[in-house]
Amino acid sequence: MLATSSMSAIGKSTNIFWQECQVGKVDREKLLKQKGCVVWITGLSGSGKSTLACTLGRELHSKGKLTYVLDGDNLRHGLNKDLGFSSEDRAENIRRVGEVAKLFSDAGLICIASLISPYRKDRDSCRAIVPDSRFIEVFMNMPLELCEARDAKGLYKLARAGKIKGFTGIDDPYEPPLNCEAKALESEKKKQRREIKKLKLLVAKGQAAVTTDVSNAKEKLETCQKQLNLQEAELATTREEAKLNKIEIKQENGICPSSFSMAGQVVGYLEEKGLLQE
């Protein structure tokens, strides 16, 4: 006889039980020779989310891996067709997709979800329900100017004309993943180190015009060193957050990476994490 849990009440559902089955996630993963996970692609409209999702799905398929793409627009044709674009409806949209993605992951599939998902708390809620660190967030960090110039669906033009209200990036915010700030901190840390090096030379060689200048340089050096120490601590924290499986994809020298290059980056990450193996 199959085991059931004790009676529960979840949300508006009462007197419900969780039903266990003999075939579990591990069994399905062995059958598929892969590990179920969720690759959540987020970013502005026109940032390349759907392009990456479809290319990634094709690349993994060519490697014999079973995937399924959950596209935000496609889901609004069915599962989420009763939802609009208010903050409340957007939150419910993401909640539903997160629950579906969780089921696909539990089935042993590599679920690729492609949605703007502008609010950090909604994405984090989806991450929280996917167990074993199997939620990989891919941030399409493309500038608004580029996304608006593409405007393949003509939505930015409508938003600028005031015909669409609450459009992400125009009159509604997009909240980027926090851990991507690690790169900015690295840059700031390098600046501080250069400043400290310059000040040390100034103090050591006595090249200041007068003694008070040397004293000021020493004081500034101490301040810079303290700032550097704080940045080191903050960077260590953000690196710990980076272990939460977050990938940033952006332009390099003003050039967007190709869809195959972006997909290769994600595939490489999945391989490194052992998710493409039994």
Side-chain angles (χ1 to χ4, degrees):
M1 183 177 177
L2 298 179
T4 57
S5 63
S6 59
M7 188 167 64
S8 304
I10 308 295
K12 295 181 180 179
S13 299
T14 58
N15 304 324
I16 57 174
F17 296 82
W18 183 267
Q19 180 67 59
E20 296 290 349
C21 296
Q22 290 104 331
V23 178
K25 182 177 182 178
V26 174
D27 303 298
R28 293 187 286 271
E29 290 179 335
K30 286 182 178 179
L31 181 68
L32 295 170
K33 295 181 171 57
Q34 65 185 47
K35 290 183 172 62
C37 64
V38 176
V39 178
W40 191 281
I41 306 174
T42 175
L44 294 173
S45 177
S47 61
K49 300 182 301 299
S50 295
T51 299
L52 172 57
C54 293
T55 305
L56 178 59
R58 185 166 71 245
E59 287 292 296
L60 290 170
H61 181 80
S62 71
K63 293 178 177 291
K65 304 304 174 185
L66 186 58
T67 69
Y68 195 86
V69 175
L70 295 175
D71 181 85
D73 277 6
N74 290 357
L75 290 165
R76 283 182 177 272
H77 281 78
L79 177 67
N80 294 334
K81 65 182 180 181
D82 60 321
L83 299 175
F85 291 91
S86 66
S87 296
E88 296 77 16
D89 279 4
R90 281 180 165 175
E92 175 59 15
N93 178 53
I94 299 307
R95 188 196 69 80
R96 291 183 192 179
V97 178
E99 290 288 352
V100 173
K102 173 188 174 183
L103 293 175
F104 273 119
S105 174
D106 187 63
L109 277 69
I110 299 169
C111 179
I112 305 167
S114 169
L115 303 97
I116 294 175
S117 41
Y119 306 136
R120 196 177 296 124
K121 63 180 177 59
D122 295 334
R123 299 192 304 267
D124 288 346
S125 293
C126 292
R127 176 187 296 280
I129 65 173
V130 178
D132 305 323
S133 300
R134 299 285 185 87
F135 186 99
I136 299 95
E137 189 172 8
V138 180
F139 172 34
M140 299 297 290
N141 188 6
M142 300 297 167
L144 174 63
E145 296 76 19
L146 173 66
C147 299
E148 191 167 357
R150 288 172 173 172
D151 202 14
K153 301 173 184 176
L155 299 177
Y156 282 102
K157 185 177 180 180
L158 292 173
R160 290 293 187 189
K163 295 179 180 179
I164 298 178
K165 300 296 183 183
F167 191 77
T168 303
I170 303 300
D171 56 353
D172 203 65
Y174 177 83
E175 300 172 354
L178 287 174
N179 81 290
C180 293
E181 294 170 4
K183 293 187 178 180
L185 283 169
E186 277 285 10
S187 177
E188 187 61 31
K189 191 176 75 171
K190 287 178 182 177
K191 288 181 184 177
Q192 288 288 352
R193 280 180 169 167
R194 285 196 295 269
E195 181 68 14
I196 286 172
K197 186 176 180 181
K198 191 163 61 175
L199 288 166
K200 280 183 176 178
L201 283 172
L202 179 66
V203 173
K205 294 181 179 180
Q207 289 179 348
V210 292
T211 307
T212 53
D213 289 339
V214 175
S215 177
N216 289 339
K218 286 182 177 178
E219 186 177 332
K220 190 174 181 182
L221 175 59
E222 290 176 2
T223 301
C224 283
Q225 188 64 59
K226 287 178 182 177
Q227 289 175 345
L228 179 61
N229 292 340
L230 288 172
Q231 287 165 354
E232 289 277 13
E234 191 174 354
L235 187 58
T237 301
T238 53
R239 280 175 175 158
E240 283 299 314
E241 290 175 355
K243 293 177 182 178
L244 294 175
N245 301 336
K246 296 185 181 182
I247 303 170
E248 180 184 18
I249 295 177
K250 62 179 182 178
Q251 292 178 311
E252 294 292 340
N253 300 318
I255 300 173
C256 292
S258 70
S259 58
F260 292 104
S261 173
M262 294 188 294
Q265 185 178 340
V266 179
V267 170
Y269 185 88
L270 296 176
E271 289 176 333
E272 180 186 330
K273 293 294 182 179
L275 296 172
L276 302 187
Q277 304 166 11
E278 183 180 330

